[in-house]
Amino acid sequence: MVSSVSAVAAPPRERPVFYIGADSIPTPMRYIGTCEAKVGVRFWETDHWRLYPTRSVVKR
């Protein structure tokens, strides 16, 4: 994990960081109860966009 302090103190990386995330939630289904809906995301650090100052880090 990279914090704002370690990002300043650490030497530059040789390779960009690759992020992977996943989540799931029980979803109600007709006639059969629930099923688990799943979603995933993957992206390179270079593809990270700044959406809002309080929500995202600055793209280098």
Side-chain angles (χ1 to χ4, degrees), residues 10-60:
R13 292 188 194 103
E14 295 177 13
R15 295 184 295 179
V17 175
F18 186 71
Y19 294 93
I20 299 174
D23 201 358
S24 64
I25 186 169
T27 305
M29 304 294 288
R30 260 187 206 170
Y31 311 116
I32 61 170
T34 62
C35 286
E36 192 171 33
K38 297 180 182 179
V39 65
V41 63
R42 60 187 181 142
F43 60 93
W44 290 100
E45 181 180 35
T46 55
D47 297 329
H48 192 212
W49 294 354
R50 183 183 174 127
L51 300 176
Y52 299 99
T54 58
R55 193 174 160 194
S56 182
V57 296
V58 176
K59 184 176 179 180
R60 293 182 215 153

